[in-house]
Amino acid sequence: MIQTINPASSLSGTVRLPGDKSISHRYAMLAAIAEGTTVIENFAASRDCHSTLGCLRSLGVEVEESGATVTVSGRGLRGLKEPDRVLDAGNSGTTIRLLSGILAGHPFESSITGDESLSNRPMGRIIRPLRQMGAEIESRDRELPPLRIRGGSLKGIRYTLPVASAQVKSCVLLAGLYGNAPTAVEETVPTRDHTEIALREFGAGLRKQGNWIEVDPQPRLKGRHLAAPADLSAAAFFLVAAALIPDAELSLPGVGLNARRRELLDYLIRAGLSLSIENETGIAGEPRGDLKACYSPDLLQRQLPPIHGELAASLIDEIPVLAVLGSQAAGGLTISDAKELRVKESDRISAIVANLQAMGAEVEEKPDGFTIQSARRLYGADIITRGDHRIAMAFAIAGLAAGGQTRIHDAECADVSFPGFWETLRMAAAPIK
Ligand code: S3P
C-alpha cells in the first residue's frame, strides 16, 4: 500500500498510542512461564507482539485476547510444550532473541524463524552465551535464523555483553532462570531494563551491582495483573511532528517513562522542544505520565545536540525520526556510534540517508551514522521504506513538514509497532489523505 502524505497546516488533539511493545513482549513471555493467570491491560496491538503471542500458543500456552486486554494461563517455568511446527517470530527481533533464552531452558527441540528481514539479522550474539550455558543451537550460515534449539538444564554463567543490546541481556537473564547457579550479565553501556523490572514483578530474585545484573535460578514466577504504558517510541513520531508544524499542540496520555527510554525526552527538551510531563505515576515498576508538546520554533534555529556514545544506544529506535528533525534544524545533526542501526529491521543508516536525500536534504553517510550539515527545505518524494516500520513513520512526519506530496511505499509495515498509525496521524494533522 502507498500512503500519500500532504503538508500539514495544523496539528492538534490527544493522540492515543499503542501499549509499549518492549514491555508487552516481556509480560507475555514471563506470564507464559509463571504459575497462575496473568492479565495484561493495554497490551501492544503491534504485529510484533502478536508474533510473540503466536509463538507462545504454538508452545501450548493458552492466550485470550479481548480488545487490548490479554489473559495468559501460565504453564510454569518448565511447562512449555514441544511445538509441532516451526515458531514464527515474524519481523520481531525481540521475539526471537528473548524467546530463545526461554527455549534454551526446555528439554525439547524447537525451531524458530521469521520473515526475510529477521532472517538476515545477527543471532551470533545470543547463540554464543546460550551455548556457554549448555544449550545446543544450530543456525543457518553466518549465524542467521532459523535457529534450532535443544535446551535443558543450563549452567549459570558470568557474561559481559559485547554489544549494547537489551535483547541479548534479556535473553541471557531469561536463560539464567534455568541455570544451576546464578547468572550475571555485565553491560558497559546501559540499555532499557524492562526485563529486570518485569522479572522482579513476577517474583524472580535479581540484584544489580555496578554494571552487573545477577538473576537467581529456578524461581516460581507468579502470574500478575499488569498494565503496559503507552509506547514512548511511538510517541516520538508525534513529539517530532509537534516540533515541526507551526502552532502544533499535542497531548499524549499515559506514556511510559522508563529511565533508559525517557532519555529521549531529556534530549528533546535539551534540543529546545516545548514539552511538559505531568501526572507521573508507576505501575508494576514502570513509570508513566502525560506528555504535552508544542511547536518549538527556537529548536529549529539551532543545531540538535550530537548523538553519540551511550546516547546513541538509548535513542537507537528514535534515530530515524530524530534524523527528520535534524534535517530541519538550522545547524543540522551529527549521529555517530550507531552502527547497530545497520542490523535493525533494515539497514537504517542507509534507509535514512537515501530517503532524506530523495527529499532534498544534504546528508553524508558514515559507517556508524551520518551528518546533516544544515537545514534544507524538504520536498515530497517517493519513500522506499524497505518494509521497516520506523522508516515509514519517520518519513510520514517528514512529509507533513515538506513541500508537495510524499508517497510512503509499503506503508502497511507501520503495523509492526503501530497499527492505526495512519488513522491517528490523519486525525491529528490536517490535511493528510
Ligand atoms: C528492544 C531492544 C532494542 C530495540 C528494539 C527493542 C527490546 O534492540 O532496538 O526495538 O525490546 O529489548 P537491541 O537490544 O538489539 O538494541
Side-chain angles (χ1 to χ4, degrees), residues 21-22 25-26 94 97-98 121 125 164-168 170 192 316-317 340 344-345 390:
K21 180 159 87 71
S22 287
H25 282 298
R26 285 152 172 87
T94 307
R97 294 197 178 112
L98 270 61
R121 295 182 64 187
R125 53 185 64 191
S165 167
Q167 292 177 353
V168 179
S170 303
R192 63 191 72 190
I316 200 78
D317 286 346
E340 273 295 300
K344 293 291 179 190
E345 286 83 329
R390 296 201 199 279

Side-chain angles (χ1 to χ4, degrees), residues 83-165:
D84 55 12
R85 69 195 79 158
V86 174
L87 302 171
D88 183 3
N91 193 245
S92 174
T94 307
T95 305
I96 195 169
R97 294 197 178 112
L98 270 61
L99 201 53
S100 293
I102 292 175
L103 292 172
H106 282 79
F108 53 68
E109 188 172 292
S110 54
S111 294
I112 184 160
T113 191
D115 66 10
E116 200 189 324
S117 153
L118 190 61
S119 300
N120 284 297
R121 295 182 64 187
M123 295 299 142
R125 53 185 64 191
I126 59 160
I127 293 174
R128 279 184 286 277
L130 292 178
R131 279 188 183 149
Q132 268 186 43
M133 296 178 88
E136 287 171 37
I137 308 200
E138 283 165 45
S139 66
R140 193 156 63 86
D141 285 355
R142 297 183 292 124
E143 299 177 320
L144 297 173
L147 302 179
R148 179 134 36 94
I149 302 174
R150 174 170 284 283
S153 291
L154 302 177
K155 287 193 295 249
I157 59 167
R158 290 180 70 76
Y159 190 72
T160 298
L161 292 173
V163 277
S165 167

Side-chain angles (χ1 to χ4, degrees), residues 62 89 163 240 249 293 304 354 372:
E62 221 177 280
V163 277
V240 168
E249 196 176 315
L304 291 192
I372 305 166

